Amino acid sequence: MEFHDCSTDVLVASGFVAAFLLGGVLFAVSLSLLSIRLLPPLSLSRMRRRRRKPVRVYMDGCFDMMHYGHCNALRQARMLGDQLVVGVVSDEEIKVNKGPPVTSLRDRVLMVGAVKWVDEVIPDAPYAITEEFMNKLFTKYDIDYVIHGDDPCVLPDGRDAYALAKKAGRYKQIKRTEGVSSTDIVGRMLLCVRERSLGGRHNPSSLQRQFSRGHNQKLDDLGFRTPTRISHFLPTSRRIVQFSNGKGPGPDARIVYIDGAFDLFHAGHVEILRLARELGDFLLVGIHTDETISAIQGAHRPIMNLHERSLSVLACRYVDEVIIGAPWEVSKDMITTFNISLVVHGTIAENMDFRKEETDPYAIPMAMGIYKQLTSPLDITTSTIIRRIVSNHEAYQKRNEMKEASEKSYYDNKTYISGD
């Protein structure tokens, strides 16, 4: 009788199992290494970005009569980091360095905070970055870089306002947005007042086609400077895309619609848009054409053209989408096309006489039971800002003349800078 050695079978079986398990482990490790090697570079960069400290950038400014140029500068600054902190210069500092501000610090802080690329706001920032304030930026606010446009910012004594940040190697530059400045806007309003004082006589191609004060001007018989150039603003599809959210409403979204001129985009506009956005999931803003506004408010309006106004509204964090050139009347077809759930209008607006007209622009949404009037939080209109300019005409004229030389120098010596 033969006896089979079971212990040998056990050892063979154990060895086989061990080899199988070891092979499986090696195979799994190989797959893991292979999968890591096959990961796309973007995924690896994202993994590294999660591990590192977010890059915080700082940009400051007066942001007086905030416009799409300011917003585009903030957008560019935000692209240079992960978080954007914005310093808003105090009223006192503006008076000393530039002349009286048109809008208060409260309104300017509100406007800056409403820009969708801004993460944090520092009120009462100094006009020039001192060594003390720069150290505060680097320590308290954890700032990595200070950002400014390619246009020079010179103090009254001739010094570069950003010299210290440049010396510290913590300065980055962005492109100035073509076509507009607060100086230019004040010039438009002063010319607007001039045309009204002359009985409404105007050249339709001047104000309505974006006049500007210009750099080579002469005084007319009344002592006003005459514009000699049109705006540099060149609306492009790329700029609109840069300002857009790029997302539509969800299938069950509650879409709120509000329309208006939104001329000289101001704090009153921001606050009514904030209230409107709180009533739904998606805020659609209709912006009336230049011709519609002129027909209702007079030939001297709007101060800003349709594309300029559209970009200002698009930059607001409460706005999801705009209709560029919205109709005056809200029709049934429009409500259906955009799936509008609610139409709203503020109690403070440039033109509140629409109810007195033969045709109420909101008659259809009212009849459908989807109209709501909102109490405007701030008593500000475009006319309010124009009155401020008119009441202090000489001061703003002087302020513009001070800025004119630096703007002329910038445009005369402007060179192409890549990136935007």
Side-chain angles (χ1 to χ4, degrees):
M1 175 180 280
E2 295 184 1
F3 293 92
H4 185 71
D5 190 350
C6 295
S7 61
T8 303
D9 290 344
V10 170
L11 287 174
V12 172
S14 300
F16 178 78
V17 171
F20 179 78
L21 291 174
L22 180 61
V25 170
L26 292 174
F27 181 70
V29 170
S30 300
L31 280 180
S32 299
L33 292 174
L34 181 62
S35 65
I36 291 175
R37 285 196 295 270
L38 292 177
L39 278 173
L42 184 61
S43 297
L44 289 173
S45 66
R46 283 175 179 168
M47 289 167 63
R48 294 191 193 102
R49 199 167 10 202
R50 288 195 191 102
R51 290 196 295 267
R52 69 170 170 78
K53 180 185 82 69
V55 175
R56 285 169 63 82
V57 296
Y58 172 81
M59 187 173 199
D60 60 11
C62 300
F63 302 103
D64 199 15
M65 291 188 301
M66 194 157 182
H67 49 71
Y68 67 90
H70 292 132
C71 298
N72 192 45
L74 295 173
R75 180 191 65 81
Q76 292 182 77
R78 181 61 173 74
M79 291 179 66
L80 295 177
D82 302 303
Q83 297 171 358
L84 173 61
V85 180
V86 181
V88 181
V89 177
S90 67
D91 292 343
E92 293 72 23
E93 291 267 304
I94 296 177
K95 288 176 185 176
V96 171
N97 291 279
K98 300 180 71 172
V102 179
T103 51
S104 68
L105 176 64
R106 181 204 67 172
D107 288 354
R108 291 184 287 115
V109 167
L110 192 154
M111 291 290 293
V112 171
V115 176
K116 59 188 175 185
W117 300 290
V118 175
D119 297 290
E120 188 178 340
V121 179
I122 302 175
D124 287 315
Y127 189 80
I129 296 182
T130 62
E131 188 168 356
E132 179 184 2
F133 185 71
M134 186 172 69
N135 291 333
K136 187 177 181 180
L137 288 176
F138 296 158
T139 55
K140 179 179 178 180
Y141 294 101
D142 202 20
I143 297 300
D144 295 289
Y145 296 101
V146 175
I147 315 294
H148 187 63
D150 61 329
D151 53 322
C153 184
V154 181
L155 300 173
D157 61 5
R159 290 182 297 120
D160 182 352
Y162 297 93
L164 291 175
K166 292 176 181 177
K167 184 177 180 181
R170 307 281 284 270
Y171 176 85
K172 289 190 176 184
Q173 185 172 276
I174 58 172
K175 293 176 68 173
R176 169 174 168 155
T177 304
E178 76 288 344
V180 72
S181 67
S182 298
T183 306
D184 173 62
I185 296 173
V186 170
R188 299 185 198 188
M189 285 186 276
L190 293 177
L191 184 52
C192 164
V193 174
R194 174 207 175 197
E195 290 182 342
R196 295 183 69 180
S197 68
L198 293 176
R201 298 196 306 273
H202 70 285
N203 179 357
S205 65
S206 63
L207 186 62
Q208 296 307 317
R209 296 296 169 262
Q210 292 309 290
F211 61 78
S212 175
R213 294 187 66 234
H215 302 309
N216 302 308
Q217 303 169 22
K218 298 179 180 179
L219 295 176
D220 63 13
D221 295 336
L222 296 177
F224 286 92
R225 292 184 181 275
T226 55
T228 57
R229 66 173 174 81
I230 61 173
S231 170
H232 284 146
F233 177 60
L234 301 173
T236 64
S237 57
R238 185 168 67 96
R239 181 54 46 81
I240 293 174
V241 170
Q242 288 171 338
F243 273 52
S244 300
N245 290 343
K247 296 180 181 179
D252 300 319
R254 178 175 169 82
I255 300 173
V256 179
Y257 177 76
I258 185 171
D259 61 4
F262 297 99
D263 196 15
L264 296 179
F265 196 67
H266 52 69
H269 292 138
V270 166
E271 285 295 87
I272 199 66
L273 291 174
R274 176 181 62 81
L275 291 183
R277 183 61 175 79
E278 290 174 354
L279 295 175
D281 308 305
F282 191 92
L283 181 59
L284 176 64
V285 181
I287 304 174
H288 299 314
T289 65
D290 297 348
E291 292 75 18
T292 297
I293 298 168
S294 295
I296 295 167
Q297 298 182 19
H300 54 281
R301 298 287 186 88
I303 302 297
M304 310 288 282
N305 72 20
L306 176 61
H307 289 100
E308 292 177 309
R309 292 181 284 117
S310 297
L311 289 178
S312 294
V313 174
L314 271 174
C316 181
R317 66 172 70 251
Y318 308 118
V319 177
D320 295 291
E321 191 172 359
V322 302
I323 299 176
I324 303 175
W328 176 246
E329 296 183 11
V330 182
S331 66
K332 178 66 168 63
D333 179 68
M334 180 179 168
I335 292 171
T336 303
T337 299
F338 292 99
N339 196 27
I340 295 170
S341 305
L342 182 67
V343 177
V344 300
H345 195 276
T347 53
I348 302 295
E350 199 64 35
N351 178 56
M352 291 299 291
D353 295 330
F354 57 84
R355 295 277 178 87
K356 300 177 183 178
E357 304 295 332
E358 292 183 3
T359 56
D360 186 335
Y362 304 107
I364 291 176
M366 285 179 185
M368 296 174 63
I370 60 169
Y371 176 83
K372 182 180 179 66
Q373 190 169 53
L374 303 179
T375 301
S376 301
L378 297 179
D379 186 11
I380 305 175
T381 65
T382 302
S383 294
T384 304
I385 297 175
I386 294 177
R387 283 195 294 270
R388 292 175 186 173
I389 296 293
V390 173
S391 63
N392 208 356
H393 175 273
E394 292 184 2
Y396 292 121
Q397 185 81 28
K398 183 178 180 181
R399 172 175 162 177
N400 273 20
E401 289 170 357
M402 289 173 59
K403 188 74 181 296
E404 189 178 65
S406 63
E407 289 195 359
K408 180 181 186 302
S409 176
Y410 168 78
Y411 281 109
D412 288 347
N413 298 292
K414 181 178 177 180
T415 56
Y416 175 75
I417 297 177
S418 63
D420 187 16

